[in-house]
Every structure is written in C-alpha cells, then in structure tokens.
Amino acid sequence: MRTLYRKFITATLLILGISILIAFILANVVYMNSTRGKIDQQNVAIAQEVASSLEQMHSTTHLSFEAYLDSVSKLGYQIYVLSENGEEFDFGEPFSKKNLPVEALNVIEEKEVYHGMDHSPSPWLMMSHFSNQLDNTVGVPFTIGDQDFGLYLRPNNKMLFSDVHVIFAWFFVAVSIVSVSGVIWFAKHLIKPITKLTEATREITRENFTFPLNIRRKDEIGQLAESFSIMQTQLQHNDEARKSFINNVSHDFQSPLMNIQGYAELLKTQQLDDEHREYVEIIDQESKRLSNLTKQLLLLTSLDQKSYPMKLSVIRVDSQIKDTVRRHQWRLEEKEIEISYHLPPAPILADPELLMTVWDNLLTNAIKYNQADGSIFIQLTQNDGWVTITFSDTGIGMNAEQASKAFERFYRVDAARKKDGTGLGLSIVKHIIELHNGTIEVESEIQKGTTFTIKLPIEKQTEE
Ligand code: ADP
C-alpha cells in the first residue's frame, strides 16, 4: 500500500534529486559558457609567466631548467615539457594519460598558445575540468638557447580541492542528512493525526462515536479534528434519536397490531358463521400485512436517510441462501414447489442482516408468485471480481411493462392477485444491492416465469 507518509518522503527525495540535477545542469551551462574560458586564460597567464622567467634566466643547461620547473610544480602544478627534438620532461604529479593532440604541437612549431582547458570533449562536461590528462592543459612556447620547447601545465587536483572545498562538501552532506531526517520527522508528525482521524472514522461506521482523538493543534489539522469531534457528538445524538424513534414507532404500531392479531386468532377458535369467519380472516391477514408494512417502511426510511449503520463483514453468500431455503422449507413443501440450487462457496464483504433480507424477499416472491407444481432454481457464479446470483422461478411471470416497474415503491402488478404483499419488498432489495455497489435486473415472461439476476462486487479484502 502506498501510504501518504511514503509518498511524502518519496516526493521530497524526488524534489531533492531533481533540484540537484537542475543545479548541475545550470552549473554546467555557466561553466561551459564563461568559467571554463576564464580558467583557461588564468592558466595561460601563469604558464607564460613561467616560460618568460625561464627565458630570462638565459640558461642553456637542462639542469637549471629542471630545478626551476620542479619548484613550480611543487606549488601545485603538473608540468610537461616537450622539446623540438622530441625530448620529454615531467614535473609534479604524473598525468594519467599522455594524449597530446596534434594542435598542441603547434605550440613548438608555430609558437601558438594551446587552449586545452577550454575544450573538453568529455560528456561529463564540468567534471572534465578535473581530468588528469595531458590534453587538459594549457601550452605555451619558450626558447632556451636555440632550442624551442612547449610547456604544458595545469593545476593539480589537490590544489583545486582545497580545504575550503572539503569544508563545503561536509557542509553539503550535513545539510542533506539534517533536511532528510527533518522531512521524515515532519511527515510522521503531519500524518499521525490523519491516521488517528481515519481510525475514528472507521469506528464511526461501527457505531462507536466516542473514539478519543487527543489532537491538540492550532493548524488546519487541529481544526479538522475539532470539527470531527463536534460531528462525533452530533452523530451520537442523531443515532440515539434515530434508535429511540424507530423503537417508539415500531413499538407503538406493533403492540396494537399484535393485540389485533391475537384477538383475531382467538375469534377463529369460536363458533362463527361463514360470513363472520371471513371477516376475522380478513382482520388477521390485514393486521399481519400492516405489521409487515411497518417493519419494511422503517427499514426503507433508515436506508433512505443513509442512517442505516452498515455493518460490513466477510460473509458466505452461499450459506446465507441455503439458510433462507431451509427456513422456507415448510412453505415450499406446502405449495409443492420443487427447489434446486448450485451454490459454490462465495465469500464477500457485506452487511449480513441486509443481504439476508434480499434473499428472503426474492425467495418469498418466487414461492408466492409460483404456480402449482412449479419449481425454483438458484444459481451462483463468480468471475472478474463479481458474484452473480440468479433466482429463477416457473411462476406466473410479468410482462415487460410490469417487470420494468417491479422495483418501484408500492408497486404491485395486480392488486386483484390478492397475494399478501406490500409492494415494498423489491424496492428494499434494490436499495440494499445498490448500497453494496451491486446491480439487480429482472427478466420475466407471463405464465412462464421470472429470473432476478444480482451482481455483487467481491471486495479486495475478501480475496486476501
Ligand atoms: P410484494 O410485497 O407485493 O411482493 P415486491 O416489491 O416484492 O412486493 O414485488 C412487487 C411486485 O412485483 C409484486 O407485487 C409482484 O406482482 C411482482 N413480482 C415480484 N416478484 C415476482 C415473481 N418472482 N414473479 C412474478 N411477479 C413478481
């Protein structure tokens, strides 16, 4: 996982790297366009000074010429002398490569100055300044007696890297170490409260509104933490209000309905004529329907207000459906409906209670709207990160228009079908499937049957 912390560090190191690269390129441009020429000129001036001193000495013996150049080299120069007869003399630190180009010989033949330090063929540009090769020198002519010489000279690298340069290098290393450690510390300090806020958010989805934040800062993150705490308190308050509302309403509706159902059951045991028995039957059915409607309405309202606390966990879809079938076994047998299924293991991340409502509704409908000797087939397949579940029945079916409206609230194909129902079941099912980022579709044909196809994503957490 790419955390914010790692991203922050990577970005800082990247910025550091890019700025070093840009600085290097800029320094190269400056070096190539101005510094290199100046350095070359300075060294030519020194070489000419040395050459003219040599000539002024009127010396004709090599001995004294060598002694003088030996002393100059000790001042921090690498010197190479070539006579017109091809004699070579080296002074100071030896050159790593003695590669004198043809134009450098013009120093002796034409008495021209050789500007080897102003031409660097090396791809390393600026770094070639430190190249310890003979072609990286300046050359001047001098004459002793009647013999012409070429004097090639460059400051040695020890002289270029003075103590001040070493101090600068250490300064650069120290600044880099301190700033990188500073960035790491700062990133940790910045990200820590965000991690805490993430934890607190996760706790809220688990209905824990009292997760302690303990973030005391005066910056934007401090303000965010403060607003978050206010939100926690508000959510806790809302949650309590919602729970008490649902409790009150369901209690206030359910208890009188239970009373009505109880009395209807009692009446059914009495000696009644057919007309009264029918009335009692209606009271019983309608009160059951009303009780069911109350429960469904409450669920739909809480789903609508997004106040339903989704309690996600890894659940086995196949086991849930098998449990649902088991619970409805007696109704299936009563209506002589044959049921078969193909349900391989399918774990997904979902709210178990809500998904149970889905399977319950679909199976209830498949039984309710089936025909005598009908059958139901449930199938589960998995591919490309999705679980596909189909509920097929050989029931009374719907035409295209009816099927397209089946998921609408309070829609019932034909109230005259007189099946007990509220018209809310499928709209709740669709709502729940969408809450799980899934889809539901229906295909149906009158007197042939209906197939509901549900697709649910397999979240990454379940695959790990
Ligand atoms: P109800 O409580 O009436 O069953 P639903 O929302 O579950 O409400 O369904 C809406 C309507 O869609 C039902 O009234 C019924 O007419 C139709 N329907 C649902 N499932 C099926 C099915 N498997 N076969 C035929 N019709 C169905």
Side-chain angles (χ1 to χ4, degrees):
M1 191 176 67
R2 282 184 68 85
T3 62
L4 201 56
Y5 175 66
R6 260 194 254 165
K7 274 187 191 170
F8 200 81
I9 304 285
T10 317
T12 314
L13 293 180
L14 217 65
I15 291 169
L16 207 71
I18 291 171
S19 42
I20 288 176
L21 192 73
I22 291 174
F24 183 72
I25 291 169
L26 280 178
N28 264 314
V29 171
V30 174
Y31 171 75
M32 298 293 281
N33 291 327
S34 107
T35 320
R36 191 166 63 159
K38 278 185 201 156
I39 292 173
D40 186 273
Q41 286 304 325
Q42 280 168 11
N43 284 299
V44 166
I46 293 166
Q48 279 168 340
E49 195 70 40
V50 173
S52 81
S53 301
L54 272 177
E55 283 172 345
Q56 276 168 24
M57 285 178 197
H58 296 294
S59 187
T60 49
T61 59
H62 286 164
L63 189 67
S64 57
F65 140 2
E66 283 178 1
Y68 174 64
L69 288 182
D70 204 33
S71 323
V72 174
S73 74
K74 286 200 175 103
L75 294 173
Y77 290 95
Q78 288 170 270
I79 299 168
Y80 172 75
V81 173
L82 183 65
S83 79
E84 59 184 329
N85 303 331
E87 285 173 283
E88 297 176 291
F89 308 92
D90 284 292
F91 304 96
E93 201 187 316
F95 289 99
S96 65
K97 214 170 165 193
K98 279 192 163 174
N99 51 343
L100 213 52
V102 190
E103 73 256 32
L105 298 175
N106 287 345
V107 173
I108 309 168
E109 288 158 14
E110 313 284 338
K111 303 231 179 291
E112 279 176 9
V113 174
Y114 170 60
H115 294 280
M117 292 187 84
D118 199 11
H119 306 111
S120 66
S122 163
W124 288 98
L125 304 169
M126 202 165 80
M127 294 331 247
S128 68
H129 180 67
F130 306 105
S131 153
N132 178 22
Q133 292 183 178
L134 192 49
D135 62 347
N136 186 27
T137 53
V138 292
V140 293
F142 72 94
T143 310
I144 293 178
D146 53 358
Q147 213 179 357
D148 292 331
F149 292 90
L151 174 92
Y152 303 91
L153 161 154
R154 72 178 293 273
N156 70 26
N157 285 341
K158 268 190 208 129
M159 186 170 150
L160 291 174
F161 288 108
S162 64
D163 289 347
V164 176
H165 288 101
V166 175
I167 292 172
F168 270 123
W170 276 113
F171 177 78
F172 178 76
V173 170
V175 166
S176 306
I177 292 174
V178 170
S179 48
V180 168
S181 343
V183 164
I184 293 173
W185 174 83
F186 182 68
K188 259 192 187 156
H189 177 71
L190 197 77
I191 277 62
K192 213 170 141 194
I194 298 181
T195 320
K196 245 190 167 172
L197 279 167
T198 316
E199 260 176 75
T201 316
R202 245 184 242 137
E203 284 302 309
I204 281 186
T205 60
R206 291 190 199 111
E207 284 190 77
N208 173 13
F209 306 101
T210 52
F211 185 84
L213 282 173
N214 294 331
I215 300 172
R216 290 186 221 305
R217 291 163 61 143
K218 291 212 167 78
D219 55 10
E220 284 82 353
I221 290 179
Q223 285 170 9
L224 177 66
E226 205 181 307
S227 309
F228 196 89
S229 299
I230 297 171
M231 188 185 79
Q232 271 181 325
T233 322
Q234 190 62 42
L235 280 176
Q236 190 177 5
H237 176 77
N238 288 355
D239 188 59
E240 280 161 9
R242 180 182 63 84
K243 280 182 183 149
S244 83
F245 170 76
I246 293 173
N247 268 347
N248 291 347
V249 171
S250 49
H251 183 257
D252 288 357
F253 273 65
Q254 290 299 336
S255 16
L257 283 171
M258 294 304 281
N259 280 342
I260 295 171
Q261 274 172 46
Y263 285 118
E265 292 291 335
L266 193 72
L267 273 176
K268 274 202 248 174
T269 61
Q270 305 298 308
Q271 285 283 337
L272 295 170
D273 57 49
D274 285 353
E275 201 185 350
H276 284 96
R277 184 159 294 279
E278 196 187 335
Y279 295 160
V280 171
E281 207 65 58
I282 291 171
I283 292 171
D284 186 35
Q285 271 179 19
E286 291 298 294
S287 59
K288 274 188 186 138
R289 206 172 78 82
L290 206 55
S291 162
N292 200 20
L293 179 70
T294 322
K295 282 184 206 149
Q296 287 189 320
L297 259 181
L298 284 168
L299 177 60
L300 202 56
T301 319
S302 87
L303 286 177
D304 261 353
Q305 290 169 342
K306 300 204 171 26
S307 57
Y308 189 88
M310 289 266 283
K311 290 186 200 113
L312 296 179
S313 58
V314 178
I315 56 152
R316 287 271 301 270
V317 176
D318 52 306
S319 318
Q320 276 206 334
I321 298 177
K322 282 176 196 161
D323 279 353
T324 315
V325 170
R326 224 167 283 134
R327 272 190 289 109
H328 288 270
Q329 202 62 48
W330 66 272
R331 289 194 66 194
L332 288 160
E333 278 164 18
E334 189 189 58
K335 292 194 78 177
E336 292 179 352
I337 294 169
E338 204 180 299
I339 188 156
S340 54
Y341 50 72
H342 174 70
L343 298 166
I348 66 163
L349 191 71
D351 184 308
E353 214 175 303
L354 287 184
L355 270 203
M356 212 55 181
T357 314
V358 170
W359 318 133
D360 202 272
N361 264 296
L362 291 177
L363 189 60
T364 312
N365 281 354
I367 299 170
K368 211 161 51 172
Y369 303 108
N370 222 312
Q371 325 213 53
D373 296 333
S375 65
I376 297 171
F377 179 55
I378 308 170
Q379 192 177 20
L380 188 155
T381 51
Q382 290 183 75
N383 53 13
D384 294 337
W386 292 83
V387 172
T388 309
I389 306 117
T390 54
F391 276 72
S392 309
D393 65 57
T394 54
I396 52 174
M398 294 176 270
N399 65 29
E401 198 207 335
Q402 294 162 345
S404 71
K405 289 183 177 165
F407 297 108
E408 284 176 17
R409 275 171 207 194
F410 296 108
Y411 178 78
R412 303 182 65 204
V413 168
D414 185 1
R417 284 179 179 187
K418 290 262 186 272
K419 305 270 181 195
D420 57 328
T422 59
L424 284 177
L426 284 180
S427 56
I428 290 175
V429 165
K430 190 164 195 261
H431 219 313
I432 294 173
I433 296 298
E434 282 170 357
L435 269 180
H436 287 85
N437 303 316
T439 57
I440 178 163
E441 280 165 17
V442 58
E443 260 178 77
S444 190
E445 213 176 314
I446 290 276
Q447 297 309 325
K448 282 255 170 82
T450 308
T451 299
F452 286 96
T453 308
I454 290 157
K455 283 189 174 191
L456 287 167
I458 305 172
E459 297 289 335
K460 289 227 163 47
Q461 296 93 309
T462 31
E463 289 174 333
E464 278 162 8

